[in-house]
Structures are given as structure tokens and as C-alpha cells.
Amino acid sequence: MFGFMRLEKKAVLTRERTMRLYDYEKKSSAKPIYQSIKPGEALPTKAIPEVFLDDDDPWKKRIFDPGSDVMIKWNHVFLTTGLIALFIDPLYFYLSSIENGDQISCVKKMDWGLRLAVTICRSIADTFYLLHIFFKFRTAFIAPNSRVFGRGELVMDPKQIAKRYLKTEFFIDLAAALPLPQIVVWLVIPGARHLNPQKNNTTLALIVLIQYIPRLYLIFPMSQQIIKATGVVTKTAWAGAAYNLLLYMIASNVIGAAYYLLTIDRQTTCWNSKCRLENGTSGAPCKMEYLDCDFISAVDPTWASNTSVFANCNASDDSISFNFGIYQNALTTGAVSTNFFRKYFYSLWWGLQNLSTFGQGLTSSTFVWETSFCILIALLGLILLAHLIGNMETYLQSVTIKLEEWRLKRRDTEQWMRHRQLPQELRERVKRFVQYKWFATRGVDEESLLQDLPGDLRRDIQRHLCLDLVRRVPFFSQMDDPLLDAICERLVSSLNTEGTYIVREGDPVTEMLFVIRGKLESSTTNGGRTGFFNSIILRAGDFCGEELLSWAILPTTNLPSSTRTVRALVEVEAFALRAEDLNFVASQFRRLHSKKLQHTFRFYSQHWRTWAACFIQASWRRYKRKMSNSLSLSESFSSKAESLATHESEEETGRSPSNSSHLEQNIGAMMLPFKFSTSTRKGTQRRKGVDISKLRKPDEPDFFAHDYD
């Protein structure tokens, strides 16, 4: 069953490839290939042009995008290992050293422990160069003819990638990856024992320097490739400054190692010249092999006890005729005869010192190669120091550029305030605002930064920054996610210093403000009514400018007037929702018209709370006044009734029926004033009740009969 399915799938792929090839040959003049295929035979993949390869072709899965995260990480790794390799290669110059004995001195061609350590480190670095070649064969490139618009089209064909790479950078990468110094140190020099130390050092130096050029060259294209992919080589300014300083240290390392090797060569040159002069005199002959530590056992004792070669080449003796020039200091201090770490750091310091001073402290002899070396130090130091200072200044200035811009802006602000003769109070308020804004944003214009981003990315960033803070506002916690996303997208940051008036009573309301941190004072006088004042404190989670929401639901031409005065008691951080943005949200999301949401809004609105408190207070006062009037009326009526009843009981025996009716008329006449007073008091109470409600009820638009919950 499964085999039949595989055969069917293969047949379908074969038919698709045949049709693609047929269309390709129909458009071109190529010879039909499908005609030579026997019935039932699958179409070979090689017969299909590369542009028609299937999308699931396994080769495409092995090709890397030069802008992918994997290649960016690999480029950083290779750049780091390349810089380390540039430090390792000059260490081969320290393999030779001079051994000073009691009678004779000689040149030791190889330090076996150092040779093994340097070889291991160098071989590890070579592995990364080989991996770099492998990645180059598997890295796509952008077709030059597709760069008319946008990034361009990636070429994923392995054959085209290999063909392009072999024509451009392959041989440079191969030359950098070859283990040439290892071959020279382990095979060439030990096999050529007849060569003197001077020739061995010259051969090794040439091999290392020749291969050092392509390795140094690869650093700069790699840096440019990283810059094209990410924009910068390093993420931070301090790392960029350290990177440029590291390049300067690499040059100092090479110059110091070359100085060490040339010092040994200069000492060997002196010995050879004096040895040749000594051969013409009487006594035991001087042989060049005697200067090699490998042949120290073959030295003639008679020559060793009588020779003056080493005395005439003693750099510490100023009376000798041989001029060591710039190498005399290294020979005098014994830097070429000590252990590795001492001679390495001495040479590194010498290179760094002379590159920094352009070789001004060097006293050269008339030897041509020595003079050329001094000229190279002066030119290289001038170029590298200018490059180092320029780049480090750029990187270090990028750290403080915002601070410098803020300082200049603050200075201009102070000059403007002094020129306009602003009072000291206003100056202090302006200074506090500028200072607080710097601490909050560090000089970054967040609005313009977000405005340059795509809409979807800007929405996600605003959601990340604002959603958790917005949900702290109880009014927003009742909203669903789409409405919250729309609001978060349009919220802007608002910073207010102590004493700042957000809005004044009677002014147009231009934005709703949602407090995140700090305290605000919200007060009202109900339009300046005498004897009326209400004040509350707004904290994190509260909002002001709620008149704008009623305006947004049923927008009119004019903005609503503020019913309260809002002032910052301390530094306040908040989100502001502008009038046009709130109008857009209200028009696009019918959820904002929900009765439940509007009731929630009225519950948390300070204007509605103040009106409700005043309404309840007025109702309670009316009720208490009504109760007090009824109680006083009932007490007066009961006292009159008691007096009449007492009078009636006293005169009951002598009263006639006519007197009884007269008594009822008197009682009715007595009740009329009470009724009149009661009605008068009720009328007065109704008239006073008009002014009891001190605050007008806020405008309540029609939320329709439908509930959008």
C-alpha cells in the first residue's frame, strides 16, 4: 500500500517536471529532451534547468541566507577568530632566541615548547578558516541585475554560488587557510639543518608575512559584510571603541615581533662579519656553524677561548665599531635572551610606543633595511593613529551625543528666557520640565521614532509599552482586546512637572489624561458659583477630561468645555488620548457606545461623582426639612387640641347644642392659619429646593436602545 503511494507520488512529480520542461523548451530553441526518454522512465533531474527545481529541493535547504541570524552569528565568530589568528601568527617570530654562555653565545633556532603551543593555536584558527570556505560555498548571493528595487533577489543555485565564489574570493580564502608556518617549522627547518639561523629566520618571517596579508585582508570585507547586515560591527559604542583599539594593538604586536626578529638578525649579522674578519688572522678558524646552538658540541675549544667575535659584538660596550642602531636597547636589556613572556611584552610595548610616537625616539644606523623599517613604523603609526583617533572619537561621541544635545538645548532655553526677561518662577518651571523630560526619555523623541516604523510593528510596540499600564485604569479594564489595541495605538506619553495646570475650568478639553504615576488635584467651582468648591485627588488609575468622551460619542463642531481645573501636585507621568484619536476610536468601535461601558465610565468619572454627591445631599436636606416641618406642625396642633378639650370638659355641663356647633366653628377657624402657614412653608421649601442642587447634571448622550456588550 505504502509502496503504491510512493510510486503514485513519483509519477505525479514526473508529470509536473515534464510539463515544466515542455513549457521551457516551447519558449526556447532547446532540443526536446523528453523525446529521448523511454516510456515509464522518470525524467532525470539534470535535464531540468535550475530555475525549475522544486521548492522542496534538498539543496535549497542547505543554502544560507547572508542576512539570516545564523550567518550573522557566524560572521561575528569568524571575525573574532580572525583577530585572534592575527595575534597568533607573529608569535612564530619568537621561536628563535640568543643564548649567552660564559665564553661563547649562539642562536637557538627553535623553542620546542613554544613551537608546540603556537602550532596548536594556529591549527585551531586554521579550522575556522576552512569552515569559512565551506560556508562561502553554501551562502546565497544577491543577483546584481535584481537590485533595481529593494534588497534584490537571492541566487540559491549551488552551482552558480560555487562558480561565483571560485572566480572572486576563493583563492584568497585558501591562501589564508593553508598551514604554511606549521609546514616550515616542523618540516622545512628541521630537514634543512645545513642552513644557518639567519636564513631560517628569514624564511620563516617571509612565509608568515606573506600569509599574514590575506588574513589581514579578510578582516575588512567581513566587517563590511556585518555592517551591511546589521548596520554596525558592535552593538555598543564602547565595544566599537575597543574593536578599533584592538586593531591598533594587532599592528603593535606585528611591529614588536618584527623588531624582536630583526634584533636577532642584527646580532647574527655582527657575529658573521666579525667571524669573517677573524678567519684572515692567525689562530683557530671561525666557522659559521659555531654560532648555531645545534652545533655547540662541535665548537673548537681553542677558538672559543681565543675568539674576539663576541667581545666586538657586545651591544653594551660603546667602544665597539659596529652600530646596532635601534636594536641596541633590546640587546642591552637582554630581551632576546629571556623567557617568552618577558620578551613578548617588551616587544609589544616597543611596538606600541613607537607607533604612537611615529618613531620619533628611534636612532637608526645607516643600514638600509633598518632605515626602511623606521620609515615603515612612522608611516604606519601616522595612518593607524589617525584611524584610531577618528573612529574612537566617533564611537565615544555617540555615547554622549544626546547628552550634548540636551546641554545645548538647555543653554539655548536659558538664554531665550533671559532675553525675554521671564520671571524667576516661570524660569524654574521651565528648567524642571526640561530636566524631568531628560530623565524620562533620555533625549529620545519617541513619537517620531515610532512614526517611522510600519503600522503593524508600531502597534505591537505600543501594545507592549501601554497595555499593562492601561489595564490598571478601571475604566479600561472593562474593554475588550480590539478596543484596547486601538486605544493603545493612539496613546501618547505626557509628562507634567509639579504645579503644572493640565486644564482649567471653562477651557476647551483637547485630550483625556490617564494617570500612570503621580498625583493630580481636580477641583471645580461650578462655573464660579459663590460658596461652591469641590476638590479631589487623582492618583494612578484615575483619569480626567471625561467631557471629551461624551463629545466623541455624539461629536459636534466645538470641543467641550472643562468643568474642572486639574493641577499636578508632583511630577506626573500619564498617557494622553487626543480628541481626534478618541473621535476615531468612537466612530470605528461601536463597543464604546455600550450602556455597560457608559455606566462604568459614569461610576469612575469625578464629574458624575460630584454631581451625584450634590444630588444626594440636596435630596437629603429636603427630606430632613420636610420631616422637621411636619414634626413642628403636629406638636402645635396637638397642644391646641388638648387646650380645647380641657375647655370643653369644663363647660360641658352648661353647654347647649347651639354652643357645641359654635365651638366646632371656632376650631375650624383656628385651623385655617395653620393650614395657611403649612402651605406657605411648603411653597417656600419648593422655591428653595430649586437652588439646593448646586451642580448641573452632566450631559448624557443617547446611547441608543441597543446594548453592544
Side-chain angles (χ1 to χ4, degrees):
M1 179 68 181
F2 292 103
F4 176 75
M5 293 175 64
R6 286 195 298 268
L7 291 175
E8 184 178 4
K9 182 178 180 181
K10 183 176 181 181
V12 172
L13 292 176
T14 303
R15 289 194 298 269
E16 291 180 355
R17 290 183 177 180
T18 304
M19 294 303 298
R20 287 160 126 185
L21 184 62
Y22 176 76
D23 294 338
Y24 169 72
E25 292 173 347
K26 187 176 180 181
K27 296 178 181 178
S28 62
S29 58
K31 183 179 179 181
I33 302 177
Y34 60 88
Q35 294 181 359
S36 60
I37 302 175
K38 298 179 181 179
E41 183 180 355
L43 184 66
T45 306
K46 295 182 179 180
I48 305 178
E50 296 296 337
V51 292
F52 296 116
L53 286 176
D54 294 331
D55 293 336
D56 58 349
D57 185 51
W59 281 104
K60 288 189 176 182
K61 298 179 181 179
R62 303 175 189 175
I63 302 300
F64 299 99
D65 186 353
S68 62
D69 294 337
V70 176
M71 291 305 302
I72 292 175
K73 292 180 180 179
W74 166 250
N75 291 337
H76 280 92
V77 170
F78 180 73
L79 180 62
T80 304
T81 55
L83 294 174
I84 295 174
L86 293 179
F87 263 101
I88 294 174
D89 285 355
L91 298 181
Y92 281 103
F93 294 171
Y94 297 98
L95 295 180
S96 299
S97 61
I98 294 178
E99 291 190 358
N100 295 317
D102 296 335
Q103 294 181 343
I104 62 174
S105 300
C106 61
V107 178
K108 185 179 180 181
K109 293 187 293 185
M110 289 294 167
D111 184 347
W112 297 98
L114 180 60
R115 180 176 70 166
L116 181 61
V118 174
T119 301
I120 293 174
C121 296
R122 166 72 190 230
S123 301
I124 295 175
D126 292 343
T127 304
F128 284 92
Y129 281 93
L130 294 176
L131 289 175
H132 181 63
I133 294 176
F134 171 77
F135 276 106
K136 280 291 191 68
F137 275 111
R138 291 292 177 265
T139 304
F141 66 95
I142 299 176
N145 55 357
S146 64
R147 294 178 180 175
V148 179
F149 179 76
R151 179 189 177 187
E153 183 180 356
L154 285 176
V155 178
M156 307 291 289
D157 184 10
K159 293 183 179 179
Q160 296 185 18
I161 295 173
K163 184 178 180 181
R164 177 179 178 272
Y165 179 49
L166 289 174
K167 289 182 177 180
T168 54
E169 302 173 351
F170 172 73
F171 292 102
I172 297 177
D173 295 340
L174 181 62
L178 292 176
L180 297 180
Q182 295 96 309
I183 296 174
V184 173
V185 169
W186 290 94
L187 298 178
V188 176
I189 293 179
R193 296 179 60 86
H194 61 282
L195 294 178
N196 56 42
Q198 192 172 13
K199 292 183 179 180
N200 290 337
N201 293 338
T202 303
T203 303
L204 181 61
L206 288 176
I207 294 298
V208 172
L209 291 177
I210 289 174
Q211 196 176 26
Y212 200 83
I213 295 174
R215 291 200 168 197
L216 182 63
Y217 169 78
L218 291 180
I219 296 298
F220 301 101
M222 184 57 61
S223 301
Q224 294 297 325
Q225 190 172 354
I226 294 175
I227 291 175
K228 288 181 180 179
T230 61
V232 289
V233 178
T234 57
K235 295 182 180 180
T236 61
W238 289 106
Y243 169 72
N244 285 274
L245 181 60
L246 183 61
L247 295 178
Y248 193 79
M249 294 297 296
I250 288 175
S252 302
N253 181 44
V254 176
I255 294 297
Y259 172 75
Y260 174 84
L261 190 64
L262 291 175
T263 301
I264 295 178
D265 182 76
R266 191 63 171 162
Q267 180 70 76
T268 307
T269 301
C270 180
W271 287 346
N272 290 335
S273 62
K274 299 302 180 182
C275 185
R276 293 190 186 95
L277 294 176
E278 194 175 84
N279 285 334
T281 62
S282 60
C286 177
K287 297 181 180 180
M288 299 299 177
E289 290 82 2
Y290 294 164
L291 305 177
D292 191 350
C293 292
D294 293 340
F295 300 93
I296 193 67
S297 59
V299 175
D300 188 358
T302 305
W303 174 83
S305 59
N306 298 325
T307 183
S308 61
V309 172
F310 304 106
N312 294 329
C313 292
N314 187 6
S316 302
D317 189 1
D318 295 334
S319 61
I320 61 175
S321 60
F322 192 85
N323 188 2
F324 285 96
I326 63 175
Y327 310 109
Q328 184 175 2
N329 193 24
L331 294 172
T332 303
T333 57
V336 294
S337 304
T338 184
N339 57 41
F340 167 72
F341 289 101
R342 290 184 178 181
K343 61 187 179 184
Y344 173 75
F345 283 106
Y346 176 84
S347 302
L348 180 62
W349 170 83
W350 189 92
L352 182 61
Q353 179 191 31
N354 288 280
L355 278 181
S356 302
T357 59
F358 315 133
Q360 294 180 2
L362 298 178
T363 303
S364 175
S365 65
T366 57
F367 186 56
V368 176
W369 292 109
E370 182 180 348
T371 308
S372 302
F373 184 60
C374 294
I375 294 174
L376 177 63
I377 291 175
L379 294 177
L380 191 61
L382 181 62
I383 296 173
L384 290 178
L385 191 62
H387 180 269
L388 174 66
I389 293 176
N391 284 281
M392 290 194 69
E393 183 181 5
T394 301
Y395 280 105
L396 295 179
Q397 280 183 352
S398 64
V399 178
T400 59
I401 187 170
K402 289 296 181 181
L403 182 61
E404 184 65 19
E405 290 178 356
W406 172 76
R407 189 186 65 82
L408 294 176
K409 184 177 180 180
R410 184 175 180 179
R411 185 195 64 183
D412 295 341
T413 304
E414 292 179 354
Q415 291 179 353
W416 174 80
M417 291 189 297
R418 187 165 52 251
H419 175 68
R420 294 301 180 184
Q421 298 180 0
L422 295 182
Q424 188 64 28
E425 181 184 359
L426 291 180
R427 294 186 185 183
E428 292 297 328
R429 291 176 59 186
V430 171
K431 290 179 181 179
R432 285 201 305 268
F433 175 76
V434 174
Q435 184 79 14
Y436 183 65
K437 188 174 182 180
W438 164 257
F439 286 140
T441 63
R442 291 298 175 183
V444 178
D445 190 357
E446 297 178 349
E447 294 187 24
S448 61
L449 182 64
L450 293 175
Q451 202 65 30
D452 296 336
L453 298 176
D456 182 65
L457 182 58
R458 182 170 61 250
R459 188 181 304 110
D460 293 341
I461 293 176
Q462 287 287 89
R463 179 183 177 88
H464 171 73
L465 295 176
C466 306
L467 187 60
D468 293 338
L469 297 175
V470 164
R471 281 178 174 170
R472 296 180 187 177
V473 180
F475 173 60
F476 283 152
S477 63
Q478 305 293 328
M479 299 181 181
D480 52 5
D481 289 341
L483 185 56
L484 283 179
D485 290 341
I487 292 176
C488 287
E489 186 180 357
R490 288 160 178 82
L491 288 177
V492 294
S493 177
S494 177
L495 303 175
N496 300 279
T497 57
E498 180 181 355
T500 302
Y501 282 88
I502 309 299
V503 65
R504 297 179 185 269
E505 187 175 356
D507 292 346
V509 182
T510 59
E511 61 185 15
M512 286 186 69
L513 203 67
F514 303 92
V515 183
I516 302 302
R517 298 180 186 89
K519 293 190 299 183
L520 295 172
E521 181 189 24
S522 178
S523 60
T524 180
T525 60
N526 193 22
R529 184 183 297 273
T530 304
F532 185 91
F533 181 76
N534 174 262
S535 177
I536 56 174
I537 302 299
L538 302 179
R539 293 179 173 85
D542 296 331
F543 58 89
C544 61
E546 57 268 22
E547 298 89 353
L548 204 61
L549 185 61
S550 301
W551 171 85
I553 295 176
L554 292 176
T556 58
T557 305
N558 298 325
L559 291 173
S561 299
S562 176
T563 58
R564 308 185 70 88
T565 298
V566 182
R567 183 174 65 92
L569 298 178
V570 294
E571 284 78 9
V572 176
E573 296 182 17
F575 285 128
L577 187 61
R578 296 166 181 167
E580 57 272 15
D581 296 328
L582 184 58
N583 187 17
F584 174 81
V585 173
S587 61
Q588 296 295 325
F589 293 89
R590 304 297 296 173
R591 177 71 175 81
L592 200 61
H593 297 257
S594 169
K595 287 185 177 180
K596 179 180 178 181
L597 194 60
Q598 292 300 326
H599 289 316
T600 304
F601 166 74
R602 288 197 297 270
F603 177 77
Y604 290 106
S605 171
Q606 301 300 331
H607 188 44
W608 277 86
R609 286 186 174 187
T610 304
W611 174 83
C614 292
F615 182 81
I616 294 173
Q617 188 178 19
S619 300
W620 176 252
R621 287 179 178 176
R622 287 195 299 268
Y623 174 75
K624 294 295 290 183
R625 189 169 297 160
K626 180 179 179 180
M627 293 296 296
S628 62
N629 293 336
S630 300
L631 183 61
S632 61
L633 180 62
S634 61
E635 289 177 354
S636 61
F637 179 75
S638 60
S639 61
K640 292 293 183 179
E642 289 177 358
S643 62
L644 289 174
T646 304
H647 181 72
E648 182 180 3
S649 61
E650 292 177 352
E651 297 179 354
E652 184 178 5
T653 54
R655 186 179 300 170
S656 59
S658 61
N659 292 332
S660 177
S661 61
H662 179 71
L663 180 61
E664 292 178 357
Q665 293 178 0
N666 291 335
I667 293 175
M670 291 172 59
M671 291 296 295
L672 288 176
F674 288 105
K675 292 181 180 180
F676 178 76
S677 63
T678 301
S679 62
T680 304
R681 290 173 182 174
K682 288 183 178 180
T684 305
Q685 186 176 0
R686 291 193 195 97
R687 289 193 297 271
K688 290 184 178 179
V690 177
D691 298 331
I692 288 178
S693 181
K694 297 291 185 181
L695 193 66
R696 183 178 61 86
K697 181 180 179 181
D699 295 333
E700 184 174 1
D702 185 11
F703 300 139
F704 306 102
H706 302 285
D707 192 358
Y708 293 94
D709 293 339

